[in-house]
Amino acid sequence: MTIKINKKQIIVALDMDSEHEVEAILDLLDPSLYRVKVGKQLFMNLGPKIIKKINNLGFEVFLDLKLHDIPNTVSKALGNILSLNLWMTNIHLSGGKEMVEASVQKIKEFGNETLLVGVTVLTSLNDKNMEEIGFYKNVEETTLSSAKFGKDIGIDGVVASLDNVSEIKSNFGNDFLVVTPGIRMQQDDQDQKRSGSLFDAIQFGSDFVVIGRELTQAKDKDEVIHQFNSLIV
Ligand code: C5P
């Protein structure tokens, strides 16, 4: 069994420092097939001008700053990025309901189409980390409870690990978007799927998959793109 990926379902993470490195990756990508993600690393070095440049090349941008601060600060920060013609941006749901409400309100006031998704629990955290931080719920429980209040307040979806995609979809419906980061190419033998594979993400119902180092650090980037392209319908 093979998988099919929709056009623009793959988001390539531009986790790099320079315009030169960004151009080298964008040269390999067709903007009608891929979206791209700009995170803290790139944005802190090059700022809004790199978003404009990427947009001018025809790519839709997910600005992944995972905003997390008091409601007023997050709302003002959002106000400063919403004019950048973003396809999607995000906030941390652990900032609490009031912060999420202020964010949703800011997007409404701004009146543009930017999608707002919430980070549930970072995929780099496990139950032990949750306990160390002082969260009394585990990863799964926190993911579901934060997704619930996020949806109730009006965000468009969540960023969540592969492990929680099916549950989020069954609890909150298919229209509630799930973006899954940390995706790796599936193994050749599909009977031995590993957690985090592209195959699993698509099967479980992720709306968007984020591919970072799997492409950007690959020795043969053309080959990786070729493999992705062959799955896109
Ligand atoms: O290189 P790799 O594919 O592991 O990159 C994952 C990307 O997804 C990074 O840009 C990271 O910031 C992002 N990420 C995320 N939310 C998470 C975990 C990772 O947006 N919960």
Side-chain angles (χ1 to χ4, degrees):
M1 186 174 156
T2 186
I3 48 165
K4 293 282 171 218
I5 304 177
N6 294 326
K7 287 177 184 165
K8 298 190 182 184
Q9 194 172 6
I10 295 180
I11 304 170
V12 174
L14 300 174
D15 291 330
M16 44 203 64
D17 296 319
S18 70
E19 195 166 328
H20 170 75
E21 290 167 287
V22 169
E23 280 167 358
I25 293 293
L26 295 186
D27 272 353
L28 302 172
L29 301 175
D30 177 346
S32 70
L33 301 184
Y34 297 89
R35 291 185 170 100
V36 295
K37 180 171 88 64
V38 172
K40 290 184 173 107
Q41 181 184 353
L42 184 61
F43 195 74
M44 285 190 183
N45 204 30
L46 299 180
K49 75 172 193 273
I50 193 67
I51 307 285
K52 287 178 191 150
K53 160 129 200 167
I54 296 170
N55 268 327
N56 286 339
L57 292 169
F59 289 91
E60 291 180 77
V61 177
F62 170 18
L63 182 56
D64 170 25
L65 298 180
K66 300 186 179 70
L67 297 174
H68 186 189
D69 210 309
I70 60 168
N72 181 56
T73 303
V74 167
S75 161
K76 295 264 165 63
L78 266 178
N80 282 342
I81 57 173
L82 286 174
S83 58
L84 292 174
N85 188 31
L86 305 173
W87 164 67
M88 175 182 277
T89 193
N90 62 2
I91 54 174
H92 250 294
L93 293 174
S94 57
K97 276 188 178 176
E98 289 76 9
M99 194 202 87
V100 178
E101 277 161 4
S103 306
V104 168
Q105 181 59 28
K106 178 58 80 177
I107 300 230
K108 276 191 192 141
E109 275 166 26
F110 209 90
N112 74 7
E113 306 270 287
T114 305
L115 295 170
L116 181 68
V117 292
V119 177
T120 52
V121 177
L122 288 174
T123 46
S124 52
L125 299 180
N126 60 19
D127 287 341
K128 186 165 173 286
N129 296 125
M130 301 297 278
E131 203 183 322
E132 282 161 356
I133 296 168
F135 287 140
Y136 75 91
K137 290 184 178 176
N138 64 22
V139 169
E140 186 178 326
E141 290 162 346
T142 308
T143 298
L144 292 176
S145 58
S146 61
K148 173 159 187 3
F149 78 68
K151 181 167 196 265
D152 290 346
I153 293 169
I155 59 172
D156 297 294
V158 287
V159 181
S161 140
L162 196 69
D163 303 337
N164 305 116
V165 177
S166 310
E167 253 183 315
I168 292 169
K169 286 291 181 185
S170 62
N171 276 279
F172 307 116
N174 251 334
D175 292 345
F176 193 58
L177 302 174
V178 183
V179 180
T180 314
I183 297 301
R184 304 290 173 256
M185 282 299 278
Q186 70 193 63
Q187 292 170 325
D188 288 342
D189 183 348
Q190 290 170 351
D191 288 329
Q192 295 180 344
K193 301 188 302 264
R194 63 192 161 93
S195 172
S197 78
L198 183 61
F199 181 90
D200 284 344
I202 301 302
Q203 289 289 104
F204 294 162
S206 292
D207 296 281
F208 302 104
V209 291
V210 177
I211 309 269
R213 288 164 289 183
E214 189 76 5
L215 169 66
T216 56
Q217 305 288 311
K219 283 206 178 78
D220 189 347
K221 297 183 181 55
D222 286 320
E223 176 53 27
V224 176
I225 297 284
H226 176 73
Q227 286 183 44
F228 289 151
N229 283 350
S230 68
L231 298 172
I232 296 175
V233 287

